[in-house]
Amino acid sequence: MTSLSALLNPFRGMSTRARALRGTGFTILNVGGRDFLRLLANLVLTRLLFPEAFGLMALTQVFIYGLQTFSDVGIHTMLIQHKRGGERVFLDTLWTMQIIRGVILWVGACALAFPAAYIYDQPLLTVLLPIAALSLFIEGFKTTKEAEANREITIERVVVLRLCTQLAGLIVTALLAYWLRSVWALVAGTLVASVMRVIVMHMVLPGKSNRLHWDWAIVKETLTFGFFIFLSTGASFLINMGNRIILGAYLPIAVFGVLNIAIMLGAAPGQVSRAIAQTVIFPLYRIKPAQQSTDNQRNLFRARRMVALMSMGMCAVLAILGVWVVDVLYDPRYALAGPMIVLIALRGILISPFVGAQEALIGNGDSKRHFYLNGSMAALQLSIILAGITWFGVAGALIAPAVANLLLYPMRARFISRYAAWDIKGDLMLMTLGLVLVLAISWFNWDALLLAFDLNLLQ
């Protein structure tokens, strides 16, 4: 009992270190639990629905995610980074802006429905997209108490509530899939989960409820700061969804559905590490700036290295076991997801050393350089994806993000060094380790990897 108490002591209290440790643990629980529930639901749903349903939903989510990112004016970032982030007038004004944004996003989704159906030759998108995008309208009402918890790295209750509402939504989805046997079950489940999350967070999280308020000075400051956030998140959309946008036009809808399942499983380690960077490392750059002292810098470097090593370890395990996992969990219709998972995990190993580096820019309010970096990454990555598809098929698109990250390393290093955040020693060590792991695992899975290089998968 004494040894257990000693083990838990660092997690207790309200010191920055204790909050960071708890935040890291609960972030892992949040992403890990979320992905486990998704996997569980996916295993059930793939036996009730056909790959085409997952392909249609994946296309719908691409447009919804695109609307979210291309309309981000920095509201969430302001709530966490701004010095007035705890003031009631500030919070309520940003909440009101968030509601207006949700309405505009839903109208935008309705406007995009017909062009999307035409581009991808999927007539059902004309109805599917507007209804699925109601989630954007609903989530416009989410409480700022979630961001307040993130600001102070006290996310424990938020994580528990997110997982509970997600579980409820997945249960509804599974029941509807059994009854409807169509893509509409996926849409309805998403909407139910959104409604439940908004209501539960408002009712259960501690703090004052939001009220409609409008302060032009706050609005102007947010939009001024958010201009580069808007541009940066637009670039982030192309970074995160570029391969899906392009492959959605190249691949048959069934193969695209298999790819979406592979991305869900293969990208899980990267999602964990990015979530830790956003919920823990980002606030730490505000609370303990690296340029303020060598102790702060050393602690931030140590935190980033630990997150990178954890991410690389998870990616390595997934890359080794990816083909086996798909063979065990899914029927033969989804077999191609195995090699795709391996490639996604291998690129995750190569990207892991850079996790948490860019947060130094936005944590110091430098939205301009953050956009320059994201914009360059988007342009370079899309170019590599298009070339990669031509020469290497699906595999070329999947490995493009790793190549782009490596090529942009000098630019990233130059920008973050302004804030004493460039960990050259740690980066070189981690990149060397990542290269060794990638070569070893590629040799181990070589026969399976060749399947993803088959150009016949393209239309």
Side-chain angles (χ1 to χ4, degrees):
M1 184 67 69
T2 303
S3 60
L4 178 61
S5 179
L7 183 65
L8 294 177
N9 274 337
F11 293 84
R12 294 170 176 160
M14 292 302 293
S15 68
T16 301
R17 181 169 181 264
R19 283 183 289 152
L21 288 171
R22 288 201 303 272
T24 299
F26 273 88
T27 299
I28 294 171
L29 174 64
N30 180 39
V31 180
R34 179 193 68 193
D35 288 344
F36 173 76
L37 290 175
R38 281 181 179 175
L39 174 61
L40 193 62
N42 198 258
L43 293 175
V44 175
L45 294 173
T46 51
R47 286 158 175 77
L48 297 174
L49 304 174
F50 293 95
E52 288 80 2
F54 295 99
L56 280 168
M57 194 61 187
L59 284 175
T60 303
Q61 291 298 333
V62 165
F63 283 96
I64 290 175
Y65 181 73
L67 286 165
Q68 285 178 315
T69 52
F70 274 105
S71 65
D72 189 348
V73 292
I75 294 174
H76 183 75
T77 304
M78 286 284 281
L79 287 168
I80 297 173
Q81 189 267 341
H82 200 277
K83 60 184 178 181
R84 296 183 62 187
E87 295 182 17
R88 194 75 256 153
V89 171
F90 186 83
L91 293 170
D92 288 344
T93 299
L94 264 63
W95 185 67
T96 305
M97 291 178 67
Q98 182 179 272
I99 292 172
I100 295 172
R101 174 175 173 259
V103 174
I104 294 172
L105 289 180
W106 182 74
V107 173
C110 294
L112 281 174
F114 180 77
Y118 177 78
I119 291 170
Y120 290 97
D121 193 24
Q122 297 294 332
L124 188 58
L125 284 176
T126 56
V127 182
L128 194 66
L129 183 53
I131 294 178
L134 283 171
S135 62
L136 299 174
F137 170 76
I138 295 165
E139 290 176 9
F141 291 87
K142 70 180 181 181
T143 176
T144 61
K145 290 186 280 188
E146 288 188 59
E148 293 174 67
N150 193 173
R151 174 183 172 87
E152 301 303 328
I153 322 181
T154 54
I155 61 171
E156 298 89 338
R157 191 173 301 190
V158 173
V159 168
V160 173
L161 293 176
R162 282 177 181 170
L163 292 176
C164 289
T165 54
Q166 182 186 354
L167 176 60
L170 292 178
I171 291 172
V172 170
T173 303
L175 292 174
L176 288 173
Y178 179 77
W179 178 38
L180 299 174
R181 303 295 173 119
S182 79
V183 68
W184 290 108
L186 303 177
V187 175
T190 300
L191 295 178
V192 169
S194 295
V195 170
M196 291 186 64
R197 175 176 168 177
V198 169
I199 293 174
V200 169
M201 292 294 184
H202 269 285
M203 294 178 62
V204 178
L205 288 181
K208 293 184 178 179
S209 299
N210 292 114
R211 298 179 182 276
L212 294 175
H213 188 81
W214 197 257
D215 186 311
W216 276 111
I218 295 172
V219 172
K220 184 178 179 181
E221 183 181 4
T222 302
L223 294 178
T224 300
F225 172 79
F227 175 71
F228 284 105
I229 296 293
F230 165 75
L231 296 176
S232 184
T233 51
S236 294
F237 167 75
L238 297 176
I239 292 169
N240 295 326
M241 291 290 183
N243 55 6
R244 296 194 213 189
I245 294 172
I246 295 171
L247 285 172
Y250 276 86
L251 296 174
I253 194 67
V255 177
F256 187 68
V258 172
L259 172 65
N260 196 58
I261 291 173
I263 291 174
M264 180 196 72
L265 295 172
Q271 290 173 349
V272 171
S273 57
R274 285 194 299 273
I276 294 174
Q278 293 168 2
T279 59
V280 179
I281 295 179
F282 170 34
L284 283 177
Y285 279 119
R286 177 186 64 84
I287 298 169
K288 299 284 187 180
Q291 65 270 33
Q292 193 174 76
S293 71
T294 54
D295 283 343
N296 286 357
Q297 184 189 58
R298 183 169 55 252
N299 289 334
L300 281 164
F301 285 177
R302 183 185 300 120
R304 278 186 47 208
R305 291 176 187 179
M306 290 175 62
V307 174
L309 285 170
M310 179 190 68
S311 177
M312 292 173 76
M314 291 189 296
C315 287
V317 171
L318 191 58
I320 294 170
L321 300 178
V323 174
W324 176 80
V325 167
V326 171
D327 289 343
V328 170
L329 297 180
Y330 293 91
D331 65 62
R333 295 175 299 170
Y334 301 92
L336 187 60
M340 293 177 177
I341 288 173
V342 175
L343 279 171
I344 294 168
L346 289 176
R347 87 178 182 204
I349 292 174
L350 295 174
I351 293 174
S352 291
F354 315 126
V355 171
Q358 252 174 264
E359 276 68 24
L361 299 174
I362 202 68
N364 284 280
D366 193 347
S367 58
K368 182 185 292 186
R369 287 184 178 81
H370 190 263
F371 159 64
Y372 290 160
L373 189 56
N374 269 358
S376 301
M377 178 69 71
L380 181 59
Q381 184 172 300
L382 287 176
S383 300
I384 297 172
I385 288 173
L386 288 170
I389 288 176
T390 303
W391 297 334
F392 306 111
V394 174
L398 294 182
I399 62 176
V403 178
N405 266 275
L406 291 171
L407 291 176
L408 278 180
Y409 178 78
M411 183 179 183
R412 182 188 292 108
R414 180 185 176 191
F415 283 178
I416 66 176
S417 63
R418 296 173 61 90
Y419 305 102
W422 182 24
D423 181 16
I424 182 171
K425 181 180 177 180
D427 289 352
L428 291 175
M429 175 189 70
L430 290 166
M431 284 191 284
T432 302
L433 175 61
L435 183 60
V436 171
L437 285 173
V438 166
L439 292 174
I441 296 170
S442 296
W443 175 81
F444 178 79
N445 275 310
W446 187 249
D447 290 340
L449 288 177
L450 289 177
L451 296 175
F453 285 85
D454 186 358
L455 294 177
N456 290 325
L457 292 174
L458 305 177
Q459 290 178 339

